[in-house]
Amino acid sequence: NLKGETKALGAFTYDSMGKKLRFRSNETFPTNTSLSLDLLMFFEEGIFYEIDSQNQSCENKALQCTMHPLDIPDDGKFKGMVQTGNPSI
C-alpha cells in the first residue's frame, strides 16, 4: 500500500550457454524503506535461488514457468524490429 513515487533500479545478466539468468533489483519507496531482490535462475534444472546478501543466506525454490522467458516459441513469427534504450550506446 505504497503511495507516491516509486523508484526502482534493476539489472540482469544472462548466460545463454548455461541457460542461467541473474536478476538484481534495489527498490526505494517514499516511506524510507527499501526492497532488495537478487535471483539466480537455473532453467535447465527448474530451480532458482533467492539470495539475501544482508543475511548472507539463500533460499532454493522451484521455477513455476514451463517456458524459458527468453526463448522464442516454436510457432513464433517475425513481426518487426524493436530497439530499446539509447541507440548511440
Side-chain angles (χ1 to χ4, degrees):
N1 229 0
L2 299 171
K3 295 182 179 181
E5 185 178 340
T6 302
K7 296 178 183 177
L9 175 65
F12 72 90
T13 53
Y14 179 62
D15 173 6
S16 62
M17 297 297 285
K19 295 189 179 179
K20 299 171 184 162
L21 181 130
R22 185 160 189 184
F23 177 76
R24 293 178 181 174
S25 174
N26 187 359
E27 299 181 38
T28 304
F29 302 104
T31 56
N32 290 330
T33 59
S34 65
L35 172 65
S36 293
L37 182 62
D38 190 354
L39 302 174
L40 182 56
M41 300 176 208
F42 293 81
F43 294 102
E44 290 288 307
E45 292 86 353
I47 59 171
F48 75 97
Y49 296 93
E50 189 170 344
I51 302 166
D52 186 344
S53 298
Q54 188 174 7
N55 294 334
Q56 294 184 350
S57 64
C58 69
E59 188 176 347
N60 179 339
K61 297 181 181 181
L63 279 173
Q64 300 297 318
C65 62
T66 57
M67 182 182 156
H68 189 296
L70 298 178
D71 274 350
I72 298 172
D74 292 334
D75 62 347
K77 295 180 174 70
F78 179 77
K79 297 287 185 178
M81 302 247 328
V82 176
Q83 180 175 339
T84 61
N86 187 339
S88 66
I89 295 176

